Every structure is written in structure tokens, then in C-alpha cells.
Amino acid sequence: MACNVLSLAQAQVATPTAHATLPTVVVSGARMEQANDDLPLSADIVSEEGLRDQQSRNLRQALQDLPNTEVRSSPARLAVGAGSAAFARDGNMGIQIRGLGGNRVLMTVDGIRMPRSYVSRSAMFDREYLTLETFKRIELVRGPASAQYGGDGMAGVVNFVTHDPSDFLKAADGSSKTMGGRIATAWSEEDHSTSLTGTVAAQAGEQVQWMLTASGRQGHAMQTMGTDGAANSNRTKADPLDTNDQAVLGKLVWKPNGLQRHTFTVEHSRKKLDADLLSSRIATPSKPNDVVNEFTTSTIERNRLAWDGRFGLHTAWADHVRAIVSVQHAQSHRLGQSFLNSGVHRVRDNRYEEQTWQLGLQADKVLRHPSWSSRFVYGLDWVRNSISNLYTGQAPLAPEVFPLKRFPDTHETSAGLFVQNETVLGDWTITPGLRIDHFRIDVQNQDLYFPPAPQPAKDMSGTAVLPKLGLLYRATPEWSVFGQYATGYRAPEAGQVNDRFRAQALLPGVGMVDNYIIANPHLKPERSRGMELGVRGRMERLSVDVVGFYNRYSNLIEDARLIERTPLKQVFQTVNITRAKIYGFEVKGIYDWGHVGSNTDGRLRSSFSYGQTRGKDVTSNSPLNSVSPAQLSVGLRYDTPHWGVYANARHYAAKRDQDIDLVSIGNNKAGTTQFATPSATTLDVGMQWRPRSNVRLNLALNNLTNQKYWRWADVYGQAANSPTIDAYTQPGRNIKIALTADF
């Protein structure tokens, strides 16, 4: 029987029931709903209760207790006219899983691919086109998943699952309602933000349900523990910042009969940020290019229309068929204005845009025999992504002339055929899979790119055959052993193949220095081969998972590596790392202490997780900078029907100097070293009060000991002797409060 595998985030907010009563169901692990314990791989679920009770405001907070998982969240300190080399290593934007991140992690919403991040030396656009209030759970699958999902799944998959109307149309006694919904409001001290979310759902006859969710948040800068509030480059307090986030999610579910289900979804997400960049100003302007005033406005927006059709066929070739059609438009816009000591008004207007069509067709068939059963899942995926960028403004740095494009308008197309089988034979489950994936990068035109680029942009294409094999052995009713061999594959992106940049800067006593990013039309696709071996224990009170992994990579792509440096020139290029390896292990679990004390309705639980990863560039025998230090999380929670309290401790190991490759960082100056984060331990405490079954009040006190600490992913590229390193610290002691009411 499948037992409940709860992630640490779930364990901390579990309701007072036995922890092994219902199976945790994952969609992302096998492309269809399946109990987590039946998967021959490592996966976690962050439940709606986990997101709500810990009052997660962003991806970092939502995933903070999952082992070997990190989210980069740097402060908004980047000057309008400055290069962003410190941000550009390894596609290092967004979620990292087991030492790899950026676009190597496939992010989806209800199975629809999220836009990619784009990072160059002169601009960066991240991937957080989403609002957590619209999701009921987050599924995270670790390790290569290209055999199931194609490119972008080299490090893992994170699937965000939105609410359905039925989630709000169930009464407390289990009966159905014709109308229901939720209202939630929250306030957070760490960024002085307030949010309000409202949902209404209804049953419109026997065949139709609909739902509409609207959410808004207004806030300010995430606080640091810096103490210098000067309005210049010495500042370590957060720059003044205003944020405005909006999201709308609408769903219509039509069930014409018991064999069909059609879901029509419309989704809108928009985030706007206005910052007064005090930290980029020169304290005593003396040179013409010294910044006197500087401001920036950033907007990211995503709109999605989707149809998800499910059909029960029960034919010889398929029991069920699922079809998906989606169109999604995403755009990022960053407008920066600099006022220089010379009187020049510099404007940087940068845009990045994606429009994506996604088609999918998937079928499944189950074959049964008295001594075995076998399920086949097969189908095809097709994705067409139209990508564009535009850089304009005024007072560009010579020799560039606005408007221009860092890479030309491009179509990226991928198509894949896949098949996966799951055969249960006694105590064994065998899960082989195969995918044939083809990609193509088609440059649409050379306008605003060549010239002035020295060479025209290049097309690229390729095909990969991606096998996988998973095994699960149920040794006893309490213990199972699982393992997986999986392959990964990721094609280069248009911005990596054809990205270019050139700017001249005047350095006192040196003269004009040229900074270049040059295209690399000879980039090769990344490939990986990964092994994973784990054991699961499901005892009466203890659930535990132990997993070890070892991945080898060829042609790993590193963005904007410093390849040439002279006194008058620096040249960066996206390159392939010939060989690399990443290995490590994870431990996670829950212990249910049962009823404790005189209150027989109360229940006490402990949760724990630990993850450690090591990575190396085998060619140069250097460490991979994308790997974060180890983290230990321990939680304790006590719940009754009307209230609950919890405490979560997290220990972040120090980043060792020998685990840092200074050469590949590229923007380090002679005589300096990279800042290595020291170890730190934090403590969060909180409570939930339920005065009624449909009303919840949550209170959290985070970083109770007011610990001053940094996260490695945030300080990557910062010098050890930087006088402003405190600007990258995490928030000190802060309070969060939230009120939720269902109706």
C-alpha cells in the first residue's frame, strides 16, 4: 500500500491526522497522477497548507526547506549603466536543484512551460512570472527529466498546480456546494507588503463549474541587515523600492459526460517595480560619468490561454487521451534613467519578449495479467517559441548606437516523441522510458543586429535520443529501495548562441577599455547521464527517505565566461565546459510523536531534511560555483483542532574557499577574492488559530534570533573586501500575519 510521503514543508503544517493515511499524488514524476512512493525517483510536494501557513511570499520562501534546492534572490542594486557579469554565471537566475539552475530547471504551470530567463552583461530578466496565491501545490522532481519532458529538464522539473473550481465547492461535511470561495489578506514586515486575494467558484448546472481568482500585493524593498543609509554607493540598507503585483486566474470546467473533461484557463500575472537607486550614486561627484541620480522601473507580465481536454476511450490502443493547446505571451521591460555629473541624461530601455505555442497529446493504456500489470504512457510534444529583444534609449556607450538587439528575432522549435512503461511484477516495479527530441533555432532576420555585429547570427538544430530506466523494489511492507538511470539534454538558447555586446569605458590612468561579449555559433547542446539510488522507510511513526545521486555532464554551457583579458580589453563568451560532474545526497523525513500531554486531540510531529552537493569542472579540476553549501532544516509542530504552533531551525553551512572558482567568475579584480558566506543558523516560530472551521489566523516570527547571514546564490560575484557586502544580507527579525476565510 502506498504511504504518504510528505515534504518538510508539508510536515510542518500537517493537520492532526495520522501521517500515513492517504497517498501523496504527484503529476510531474510520471506525466500523470501517481502516488509519490511508487516513483523510482526523488520528488517533493509543497502543499497549499505549507504555502499558506508559512506565508510564503516568493519562490525562495516556498522551497526553502527542500534539500539541495535554492532560489537566487539578489537585491535591486544593479546600476542602470553597469554590467551584470556578477549575475550572469551559469544561467544563474531562478531555481537551482542539485547545483544547477536557471533554464536547466523546467518550470511549468499546469504542465504549460514557463518563460525562460535571459541574462546578458547589460540586462537581466528573471523567471518569476507567477503569484503563489493562485497555486494549490508545487511539485518538484529532482534530477534529469529530459526523457519525459525534453530540453530544459536537465536539473529537474518544478510544476505549479493551480486551483480548480471543485477545490472551493466542497463543504466541511463532504457535501457539494453550488457556490464557494475564499478571501485571504496578509501583511509582512520583511518588505512591508500587504496582499489581498479573493476567489469565487460556482456550479453552473450539472456539467459546468467555473472559478475566478484575483490577487494583488503592494510592498517595498526586502529589508537587509545593513546599517548604512547613505544616499550613495556606500549604502547597505535596501534602496527605496515600490512593488505592485497583480494576478487573475479564471477557469471553466465542462464535463459533458462521464468520459470527458474540458478545462479552459485564462491567466494574467503582472509585476511592477519602481526603485530609487541611491546605492549607485557617487558620494562626491568629480568625474563626468559619476552618477548624480538614478532610477529604474521594471515590469514583467505573462498572459496564458489554455485548453486541457481529457477523454476516456477504453479502446485497444488507449484507455485515456489528454490533449493540451496553449498560447502564452510574456514580456519583460526595464527602463532606467541616469543623470550624470556631466549633465548627460542616460536612458536604458530594455525589452525581452516571448510568445509560445504549446501542443501536447498523451495517451495511456493498462494491460493486466494475474501475475503482473503494465501501463504505457506515450505521446508527442510540440513547442514553438518566438523570442525578441530590443535595446533603446539615449546616450549609449560608444561604439554602440540605439536601437539595437543583443541577438536577432528568433524562433525556437522543439518536438518530441516519448513512451514510458511501468510494469509491476510482484515486489518489483520496472519503469523504462525513451524520448526522441528535436530542436531548431531559426533566425528570422538580422535587423538591428548585423550590422553592427561583425558576423550575421547563425541557425542551429539537433536531435537527441534520451533513454531512462527506473527500478523500485518493495523489500518489506515498511521499506523499499529505488534507483534510476536518466539522461538529460538541453539545446543552446538563441541568446547564448548569438548574444553580443560592446562598450568602452574610460579608466583613469589606463585609458579606454573595451568590454565585449562575443557570439558563439559553435555551442554544443548540453548532455547529462545521472544515477540515483535511494531507500524509503514507512514505519508506523517514522517516514524517512535517503537518496544519493551522481551526474556526469558533457558540454555544460556557462554564460559569459571571461576568455580574454588585457590591460585594454575584456572579452566574455558563452562556452561549453567539456566535462563536469555533480554528486551528493539528501535525507528527509517525519517523526509522528502521536498524542502528547493531557490534550488527547493534540499531535506532535518532527520533520527534518539535509542536503549536500559537490560539483567539479573535470576539465580544469575546478569547483562549480553554482553549487550552494549544505543546509540542514529541523521542524517541530504541535496541532490541535483549533490551534497549532511550530518552530523551524535552519543551518546554512559555510561556503569554503576551495569550493570557489575565481577564474570563471570573471569580474573579480586583481588582488581580490570572492566573498565566501559564513555558516549561520536561523529560527522561525509561528502559530495558527482556527476560531471556526473555515477561518484561519496565522502569525509568524521569522529569524527570531536576528541572525545576520547571507545566501551563497545572492553574493555570487561579490568581492570579499566589498565595503557594501551587508547589502546582500537576509532580513533580520520580522513578523508576518495572515487571515483566511472560506465560504
Side-chain angles (χ1 to χ4, degrees):
M1 178 178 121
C3 299
N4 193 8
V5 183
L6 294 177
S7 71
L8 180 67
Q10 285 179 290
Q12 292 166 345
V13 296
T15 54
T17 57
H19 73 274
T21 55
L22 293 172
T24 297
V25 175
V26 179
V27 177
S28 306
R31 293 190 64 120
M32 63 186 304
E33 291 188 353
Q34 188 171 4
N36 202 346
D37 279 7
D38 291 339
L39 294 172
L41 49 81
S42 178
D44 276 306
I45 304 294
V46 181
S47 68
E48 179 183 6
E49 291 78 10
L51 293 170
R52 183 178 61 218
D53 287 13
Q54 294 200 99
Q55 302 181 58
S56 301
R57 298 288 189 267
N58 50 49
L59 283 180
R60 164 168 285 180
Q61 294 170 356
L63 306 179
Q64 62 185 339
D65 288 316
L66 304 186
N68 288 327
T69 304
E70 177 66 278
V71 178
R72 182 166 189 160
S73 181
S74 296
R77 289 180 59 87
L78 186 62
V80 169
S84 58
F87 296 82
R89 301 282 79 75
D90 232 18
N92 194 9
M93 299 290 289
I95 303 171
Q96 296 178 2
I97 300 176
R98 292 178 175 173
L100 288 182
N103 294 326
R104 296 188 184 95
V105 175
L106 175 61
M107 293 172 58
T108 63
V109 176
D110 296 332
I112 305 301
R113 291 169 179 258
M114 290 282 291
R116 291 171 172 169
S117 64
Y118 169 62
V119 182
S120 76
R121 188 170 174 80
S122 58
M124 57 181 183
F125 302 104
D126 65 25
R127 307 183 72 186
E128 203 160 337
Y129 295 83
L130 41 80
T131 300
L132 294 182
E133 284 79 4
T134 61
F135 303 127
K136 65 179 177 182
R137 72 176 185 270
I138 302 174
E139 303 175 349
L140 185 143
V141 176
R142 296 182 179 83
S146 297
Q148 294 141 295
Y149 294 97
D152 297 351
M154 275 193 59
V157 178
V158 181
N159 184 34
F160 300 87
V161 182
T162 60
H163 286 98
D164 276 329
S166 59
D167 297 327
F168 303 97
L169 297 177
K170 296 177 182 177
D173 60 3
S175 61
S176 298
K177 300 186 294 184
T178 57
M179 180 168 287
R182 175 177 298 160
I183 296 177
T185 185
W187 176 81
S188 174
E189 184 183 14
E190 64 184 3
D191 60 354
H192 294 281
S193 65
T194 57
S195 65
L196 179 64
T197 303
T199 299
V200 60
Q203 181 86 32
E206 295 182 357
Q207 298 179 340
V208 177
Q209 294 178 343
W210 61 268
M211 179 196 78
L212 183 64
T213 297
S215 178
R217 172 181 289 122
Q218 291 185 329
H220 304 282
M222 188 71 73
Q223 297 303 302
T224 73
M225 295 194 72
T227 58
D228 192 331
N232 56 55
S233 57
N234 297 320
R235 185 182 182 89
T236 56
K237 289 186 176 182
D239 284 336
L241 179 71
D242 293 318
T243 61
N244 190 317
D245 301 349
Q246 302 170 1
V248 176
L249 174 69
K251 280 191 177 182
L252 177 69
V253 179
W254 175 43
K255 300 178 182 178
N257 54 55
L259 296 178
Q260 292 188 43
R261 185 179 192 271
H262 302 269
T263 303
F264 303 90
T265 302
V266 57
E267 184 183 11
H268 167 77
S269 176
R270 186 177 187 271
K271 297 188 175 187
K272 184 179 180 182
L273 176 152
D274 293 296
D276 185 356
L277 297 175
L278 301 180
S279 59
S280 67
R281 301 174 183 178
I282 303 302
T284 306
S286 60
K287 298 184 290 296
N289 286 332
D290 286 348
V291 174
V292 178
N293 285 300
E294 196 158 57
F295 309 90
T296 185
T297 297
S298 298
T299 305
I300 62 174
E301 184 173 341
R302 180 173 63 92
N303 297 290
R304 172 172 69 104
L305 291 173
W307 166 68
D308 184 342
R310 307 189 185 206
F311 306 86
L313 299 183
H314 304 295
T315 65
W317 60 275
D319 295 328
H320 308 91
V321 170
R322 181 184 182 187
I324 291 178
V325 179
S326 171
V327 59
Q328 180 173 251
H329 182 260
Q331 57 183 351
S332 297
H333 180 207
R334 184 167 183 258
L335 177 64
Q337 300 188 63
S338 304
F339 298 86
L340 307 183
N341 192 43
S342 62
V344 171
H345 179 200
R346 177 184 293 159
V347 177
R348 296 290 182 266
D349 191 335
N350 305 333
R351 299 172 185 267
Y352 176 76
E353 189 169 347
E354 294 187 17
Q355 180 160 307
T356 306
W357 281 92
Q358 180 174 334
L359 309 177
L361 188 64
Q362 176 178 309
D364 67 87
K365 179 65 181 179
V366 175
L367 304 177
R368 290 183 173 87
H369 185 272
S371 59
W372 55 265
S373 65
S374 188
R375 178 177 62 182
F376 290 87
V377 179
Y378 59 96
L380 59 91
D381 296 320
W382 181 86
V383 180
R384 162 65 65 86
N385 202 359
S386 300
I387 307 172
S388 64
N389 71 104
L390 180 65
Y391 291 72
T392 185
Q394 64 186 44
L397 297 177
E400 293 193 327
V401 177
F402 290 148
L404 60 84
K405 295 187 176 183
R406 299 296 178 204
F407 62 90
D409 294 346
T410 305
H411 285 170
E412 292 184 347
T413 305
S414 66
L417 296 172
F418 63 88
V419 60
Q420 179 171 291
N421 172 256
E422 180 187 60
T423 297
V424 179
L425 186 62
D427 294 326
W428 288 88
T429 299
I430 306 169
T431 311
L434 182 69
R435 184 183 182 97
I436 301 174
D437 210 60
H438 177 77
F439 81 92
R440 182 165 185 84
I441 298 174
D442 289 311
V443 175
Q444 297 303 292
N445 59 68
Q446 306 285 346
D447 293 347
L448 303 180
Y449 178 81
F450 172 76
Q455 295 91 25
K458 302 293 185 180
D459 297 337
M460 182 179 290
S461 64
T463 302
V465 178
L466 304 166
K468 62 163 286 187
L469 176 64
L471 295 173
L472 175 70
Y473 174 61
R474 299 168 184 84
T476 70
E478 294 81 20
W479 291 94
S480 61
V481 180
F482 64 92
Q484 178 180 240
Y485 169 81
T487 53
Y489 176 81
R490 188 174 77 97
E493 301 162 22
Q496 294 175 321
V497 174
N498 294 312
D499 199 25
R500 61 99 181 170
F501 170 88
R502 183 185 178 189
Q504 295 177 337
L506 178 63
L507 296 184
V510 177
M512 297 300 296
V513 175
D514 272 322
N515 288 283
Y516 294 85
I517 290 179
I518 60 175
N520 187 351
H522 305 295
L523 272 180
K524 300 177 181 178
E526 299 177 315
R527 293 181 179 270
S528 71
R529 302 183 304 278
M531 295 288 295
E532 184 176 15
L533 182 63
V535 59
R536 294 188 180 110
R538 300 294 180 263
M539 282 71 74
E540 181 180 357
R541 293 192 178 276
L542 176 66
S543 293
V544 63
D545 293 59
V546 181
V547 181
F549 58 91
Y550 183 87
N551 297 318
R552 297 190 68 89
Y553 302 91
S554 59
N555 299 319
L556 202 63
I557 296 175
E558 182 177 358
D559 292 329
R561 188 183 185 101
L562 179 66
I563 62 171
E564 181 183 352
R565 172 182 280 168
T566 70
L568 299 179
K569 183 170 66 173
Q570 287 191 129
V571 181
F572 299 84
Q573 187 181 43
T574 298
V575 299
N576 288 114
I577 298 175
T578 306
R579 290 184 300 152
K581 63 180 180 181
I582 295 178
Y583 55 93
F585 67 93
E586 296 147 2
V587 181
K588 60 184 178 181
I590 308 164
Y591 188 81
D592 187 345
W593 298 87
H595 301 296
V596 176
S598 58
N599 189 342
T600 57
D601 291 330
R603 200 175 197 98
L604 183 68
R605 286 182 179 82
S606 299
S607 55
F608 55 89
S609 74
Y610 179 79
Q612 185 178 106
T613 304
R614 294 282 185 267
K616 179 179 289 188
D617 179 342
V618 177
T619 305
S620 65
N621 200 33
S622 302
L624 294 179
N625 289 326
S626 59
V627 175
S628 293
Q631 177 181 332
L632 170 68
S633 298
V634 179
L636 186 67
R637 183 175 183 99
Y638 183 75
D639 259 308
T640 75
H642 299 292
W643 57 271
V645 294
Y646 70 85
N648 299 326
R650 302 180 185 93
H651 177 75
Y652 305 95
K655 184 69 173 180
R656 303 181 303 171
D657 289 333
Q658 58 265 40
D659 290 335
I660 301 174
D661 178 12
L662 285 177
V663 174
S664 71
I665 288 178
N667 66 332
N668 63 302
K669 297 180 180 179
T672 67
T673 58
Q674 162 70 42
F675 175 73
T677 53
S679 62
T681 301
T682 65
L683 177 63
D684 296 348
V685 296
M687 64 165 291
Q688 182 184 88
W689 178 44
R690 299 177 283 273
R692 300 176 59 181
S693 60
N694 64 331
V695 177
R696 297 172 297 278
L697 176 66
N698 290 88
L699 178 66
L701 181 57
N702 296 331
N703 197 0
L704 180 64
T705 60
N706 209 33
Q707 174 76 51
K708 181 178 180 180
Y709 69 107
W710 297 260
R711 302 287 290 271
W712 166 249
D714 298 351
V715 302
Y716 189 10
Q718 301 302 315
N721 61 356
S722 170
T724 59
I725 196 64
D726 284 357
Y728 296 85
T729 51
Q730 295 300 296
R733 185 186 301 112
N734 64 91
I735 296 175
K736 294 180 181 178
I737 188 169
L739 179 65
T740 303
D742 295 319
F743 60 89

